[in-house]
Amino acid sequence: MGTPDNWRKSSYSGPGDGNSCVEIATAATHISIRDSKIPARATLTFPVACFVPFIDALKGLDPRR
């Protein structure tokens, strides 16, 4: 699969340089996410139908774990 070229930063990037966030790229069949601090590293790619359940599962995690 090719690398998406339409990366955009999360709306939760915050003030300043906005480098402490994730970036997302969408295509017709999949959605990809990566760490904006190290974009050349690993990218997670999901079929479109699996992305929302993935995000919902993350919302349920306790960050103190």
Side-chain angles (χ1 to χ4, degrees):
M1 173 177 60
T3 303
D5 59 0
N6 61 339
W7 292 102
R8 61 187 187 279
K9 294 199 185 217
S10 166
S11 60
Y12 292 96
S13 298
D17 60 11
N19 288 331
S20 297
C21 65
V22 296
E23 295 176 320
I24 186 170
T26 58
T29 60
H30 61 276
I31 296 174
S32 299
I33 57 175
R34 68 183 181 185
D35 185 339
S36 64
K37 294 181 298 301
I38 44 175
R41 284 205 159 165
T43 299
L44 298 175
T45 301
F46 301 88
V48 172
C50 297
F51 187 71
V52 171
F54 170 74
I55 296 300
D56 287 343
L58 289 178
K59 289 177 184 177
L61 294 177
D62 183 349
R64 297 169 289 181
R65 290 168 100 191

